[in-house]
Amino acid sequence: MTPDARFDEAARTLAAAERVVALSGAGISAESGVPTFRESGGLWEEYRIEEVATPEALAGNPRKVWEFYEMRRQNMQSVEPNPGHVALAELETLFEEVTIVTQNIDGLHQRAGSTRVLEVHGSLWKAKCLEGCGARRDPFPWPASQIPPPCECGSILRPEVVLFGEMLPTDVFEEATSRAVRADVALVVGTSSVVWPAAGIPLAAQSAGAIVIEVNPEATELTERFDISLRGPAGEILPRLYERVDKLRRVA
Ligand code: BV8
Ligand code: ZN
């Protein structure tokens, strides 16, 4: 099937939907200038996961983990949502229910106007007590006054981010799964689909009857499992998809 035919089929499928879920990953923020993880020049080329994104790293060297996340919070100061984020937010004007399930912690979907965003890997803009005394900071604005920031209980605060080996926030993940299994279409945008259990969300939607549409310049581990895969950058494809679906729904 030619790229245009795939695009037409994706638009027709989306235009017939009522409930849409979109799983996003670092790729949707790439055109905003935010580095991804696994591509060349990605974060995991410069930093080792074991040193900055595991609970062991946080326990062993909280300063180093905080420096990693404080650097990412600092970089976000000059970053804006891009047309890909905006197009996903605009889908809310077309559909009864749009849910963004994001692996990203940058907050760009909310800044673009999306009103139902489930952050399954947490957020750069929240912090909580390392020891679990219950203290939370939401928002936890950049810059932190001290690294690592002290907690009122005498311990320190940690980024409210899901590190490797940690459970995803149960309530958020359950809500994401229940929205996915009700969806007519699942978009999969800007993710390599290698990190579980988030990567499984579009497959849960598909086994409950949804059509899965991937948007990514590259093929991914799960491309073969998806119904339609559109090759290209989210910032270009999603606005075109929004325009076409808007037109189709006006004439419908
Ligand atoms: C869990 C932190 C249950 C926040 C992240 C040992 C013990 C426990 C679990 C495991 C284990 N070994 C493996 C696992 C499972 C592990 C996992 O999946 N590992 C992988 C690497 C194999 N998962 C976990 O650990 C999860 N927890 O399983 O707990 C449990 C608990 C206890 C005991 C047993 C089980 C926790 C996963 C969350 C980890 N935290 N980040 C942060 O720092 O951001 S994951 C990290 O990867 C980010 O959240 C990121 O979002 C996510 C996925 O990456 P992507 O977003 O897909 O980004 P990537 O660079 O990979 O790809 C970018 C894509 O964009 C590419 O495809 C590219 O082509 C595309 N792209 C580029 N430009 C564009 C574009 N697309 C569109 N437009 C463009 N312009
Ligand atoms: Zn505390």
Side-chain angles (χ1 to χ4, degrees):
M1 191 186 278
T2 65
D4 284 351
R6 269 203 305 268
F7 182 85
D8 294 346
E9 189 193 351
R12 273 197 308 277
T13 305
L14 194 49
E18 279 164 25
R19 290 184 297 276
V20 177
V21 67
L23 175 71
S24 71
I28 196 168
S29 296
E31 290 161 89
S32 295
V34 182
T36 59
F37 291 91
R38 292 172 187 85
E39 293 180 291
S40 58
L43 281 171
W44 298 149
E45 249 181 31
E46 217 183 316
Y47 296 86
R48 290 167 47 76
I49 289 177
E50 305 71 48
E51 290 178 2
V52 295
T54 63
E56 295 73 20
L58 184 59
N61 191 343
R63 163 178 292 285
K64 190 170 175 72
V65 171
W66 262 109
E67 281 163 357
F68 174 62
Y69 284 101
E70 200 65 354
M71 169 277 294
R72 292 175 63 191
R73 288 155 36 98
Q74 176 164 16
N75 293 347
M76 284 304 298
Q77 301 309 310
S78 56
V79 164
E80 295 296 323
N82 66 61
H85 296 106
V86 173
L88 285 187
E90 286 174 338
L91 288 183
E92 294 184 16
T93 63
L94 299 179
F95 296 102
E96 174 197 314
E97 185 178 307
V98 177
T99 304
I100 310 288
V101 178
T102 188
Q103 299 170 91
N104 301 338
I105 59 176
D106 55 31
L108 288 176
H109 284 298
Q110 295 92 322
R111 286 176 54 193
S114 286
T115 59
R116 182 184 294 114
V117 181
L118 299 174
E119 295 177 312
V120 291
H121 290 166
S123 169
L124 278 175
W125 313 113
K126 293 178 186 166
K128 63 182 181 183
C129 177
L130 180 69
E131 307 297 328
C133 80
R136 282 190 77 218
R137 298 283 183 285
D138 177 7
F140 186 63
W142 176 85
S145 53
Q146 213 179 322
I147 293 291
C151 181
E152 59 232 25
C153 75
S155 175
I156 58 168
L157 297 175
R158 60 161 286 176
E160 194 161 322
V161 158
V162 180
L163 302 178
F164 281 96
E166 292 189 316
M167 294 299 281
L168 279 58
T170 317
D171 52 342
V172 178
F173 191 69
E174 276 168 6
E175 165 83 4
T177 306
S178 77
R179 296 281 176 179
V181 299
R182 293 158 38 95
D184 306 305
V185 166
L187 300 174
V188 187
V189 183
T191 183
S192 56
S193 290
V194 302
V195 173
W196 291 78
I201 288 172
L203 297 176
Q206 190 178 52
S207 42
I211 300 285
V212 181
I213 301 170
E214 182 181 43
V215 176
N216 196 316
E218 317 274 334
T220 66
E221 302 221 342
L222 296 185
T223 297
E224 291 315 308
R225 309 272 300 270
F226 297 153
D227 301 285
I228 306 170
S229 193
L230 304 178
R231 268 304 146 274
E236 185 253 309
I237 289 190
L238 291 177
R240 269 180 47 217
L241 205 52
Y242 169 78
E243 293 305 330
R244 176 74 68 79
V245 170
D246 185 28
K247 228 181 253 127
L248 287 171
R249 287 177 73 106
R250 286 183 196 282
V251 302

